Amino acid sequence: MNRDTGFPIADAENDFLRARRRQVLARLAAWLRRSPDDVNIMLPFDEVVAALGRTGERRLGLQVITLDSIVGSVDRSREFDRRFRPTSGQVRERWQRLALAQRRGESIPPIEVYRIGDMHFVMDGHHRVSVAHALGLKTIDAYVTEVTTRLSPEGVRYRGDLLVKDYRRTFLDRVPLVGEARKAISLIDPWDYAELAEAIEAWGFRLMQDEGRFLDRAEVARRWHDDEFVPVVRMLRQAGLIETQTEAQAYMWVACERYKLMRTHRWDDEVITAVRENRRR
């Protein structure tokens, strides 16, 4: 807790002014470093759920959670920044009233949060979280509701990360891979998921033409992974064409180069040799 002068009202006022000053300085520092726009913005709960795909929820009851795990909000994302510092003076009256109660040792009711993975999103209690941060607390009591999602929230830190998750979720709707095959497809550029989905659907269409029968999306996804992706990745590794890229990135790049150079959908040593020689040029 910040220094206690013996005048709780004045201390609460100074707490708010200090929190506002820190928010302004953090925004200025981000601008000077040319950091992405979403660095100091809290994650909007609805956008996270939409990107990951909500599958259910369950109430976990009262728990003690760390303040650092609270990264977002259900509906107050404009009033506070990522560290729950107030972004304007509009919340000052209520904020100082809570800070005063906290300094006097009065009972503060628990907040309410949603949990996704190890992240928490505030439903009720934004001002309490902000005051707790300002007073240097590390934990806070919270009623927790856990939300389960189709995609893992791993890797989500900023708002910009949601775009990749959203495209990946759409990709898996079109190409319903499962298990290890699902984990094997990892791309960095969100749009690559759209392009890969198009390529797999085209591959599946050619397969159905060859076999003269209809295949559903799950069967096309499984066949593409086992008959196309895995053998090609093996060839690329043997040829030294996978370096810092993920396997899926390497597959997409080489498949594109193959078609530009040779206008073919086949895979053989001649294709790999042509791609390698073109790369050296």
Side-chain angles (χ1 to χ4, degrees):
M1 184 175 291
N2 293 305
R3 188 191 313 177
D4 188 343
T5 65
F7 299 93
I9 295 178
D11 288 338
E13 292 175 352
N14 288 332
D15 290 336
F16 179 80
L17 294 175
R18 189 179 300 108
R20 280 289 298 125
R21 185 163 56 249
R22 287 173 176 169
Q23 192 275 328
V24 172
L25 290 174
R27 188 175 59 186
L28 176 60
W31 179 79
L32 291 173
R33 290 194 297 265
R34 297 185 179 181
S35 301
D37 293 339
D38 60 354
V39 166
N40 284 322
I41 298 175
M42 66 172 66
L43 289 174
F45 173 75
D46 290 340
E47 292 185 22
V48 174
V49 170
L52 300 179
R54 187 174 191 156
T55 58
E57 66 176 60
R58 59 173 180 158
R59 294 186 180 276
L60 301 181
L62 182 62
Q63 298 187 3
V64 177
I65 64 174
T66 61
L67 286 171
D68 286 343
S69 70
I70 303 175
V71 298
S73 166
V74 174
D75 59 6
R76 296 284 187 89
S77 58
R78 295 185 178 181
E79 295 180 1
F80 302 93
D81 69 3
R82 181 65 173 255
R83 293 286 295 174
F84 279 81
R85 294 170 291 219
T87 57
S88 72
Q90 294 181 354
V91 300
R92 179 169 184 165
E93 182 178 351
R94 185 177 178 186
W95 197 102
Q96 289 181 181
R97 189 165 62 248
L98 285 167
L100 179 60
Q102 185 80 50
R103 282 186 169 277
R104 286 174 170 171
E106 298 177 11
S107 177
I108 305 296
I111 64 173
E112 295 184 31
V113 298
Y114 281 119
R115 174 182 294 168
I116 302 178
D118 59 0
M119 301 182 294
H120 292 103
F121 300 80
V122 179
M123 288 185 278
D124 179 58
H126 297 76
H127 294 74
R128 280 165 275 171
V129 173
S130 181
V131 169
H133 269 295
L135 297 183
L137 304 181
K138 300 299 181 184
T139 61
I140 192 169
D141 292 337
Y143 290 108
V144 180
T145 299
E146 183 177 46
V147 175
T148 55
T149 56
R150 290 186 57 204
L151 296 186
S152 167
E154 183 179 358
V156 174
R157 295 183 61 208
Y158 304 112
R159 198 173 187 176
D161 298 326
L162 299 178
L163 187 60
V164 176
K165 291 288 186 179
D166 193 30
Y167 272 75
R168 178 173 173 80
R169 178 183 54 78
T170 303
F171 168 81
L172 291 171
D173 285 339
R174 297 170 65 179
V175 187
L177 296 164
V178 297
E180 293 302 316
R182 182 189 184 104
K183 296 178 183 177
I185 307 304
S186 176
L187 298 166
I188 296 174
D189 186 337
W191 187 246
D192 283 348
Y193 279 111
E195 292 189 343
L196 182 57
E198 291 283 349
I200 295 171
E201 288 172 344
W203 185 91
F205 179 71
R206 294 193 299 272
L207 178 64
M208 285 187 275
Q209 286 183 314
D210 290 342
E211 297 190 354
R213 64 189 182 97
F214 172 77
L215 301 174
D216 63 20
R217 288 186 179 274
E219 178 66 9
V220 169
R222 185 189 66 78
R223 292 281 297 275
W224 172 83
H225 177 267
D226 295 347
D227 301 343
E228 167 82 355
F229 182 73
V230 171
V232 171
V233 167
R234 187 182 303 118
M235 293 174 64
L236 298 182
R237 287 202 177 280
Q238 292 171 350
L241 292 176
I242 299 180
E243 297 174 352
T244 59
Q245 305 161 295
T246 66
E247 292 179 346
Q249 286 175 303
Y251 169 85
M252 288 187 63
W253 174 75
V254 175
C256 182
E257 288 296 300
R258 171 194 63 176
Y259 197 75
K260 286 194 298 184
L261 291 171
M262 306 182 71
R263 300 293 193 275
T264 181
H265 292 293
R266 75 176 193 275
W267 289 107
D268 54 31
D269 291 339
E270 182 184 359
V271 169
I272 298 300
T273 299
V275 172
R276 186 195 288 116
E277 290 179 351
N278 186 65
R279 183 181 187 183
R280 287 172 180 170
R281 299 194 197 104

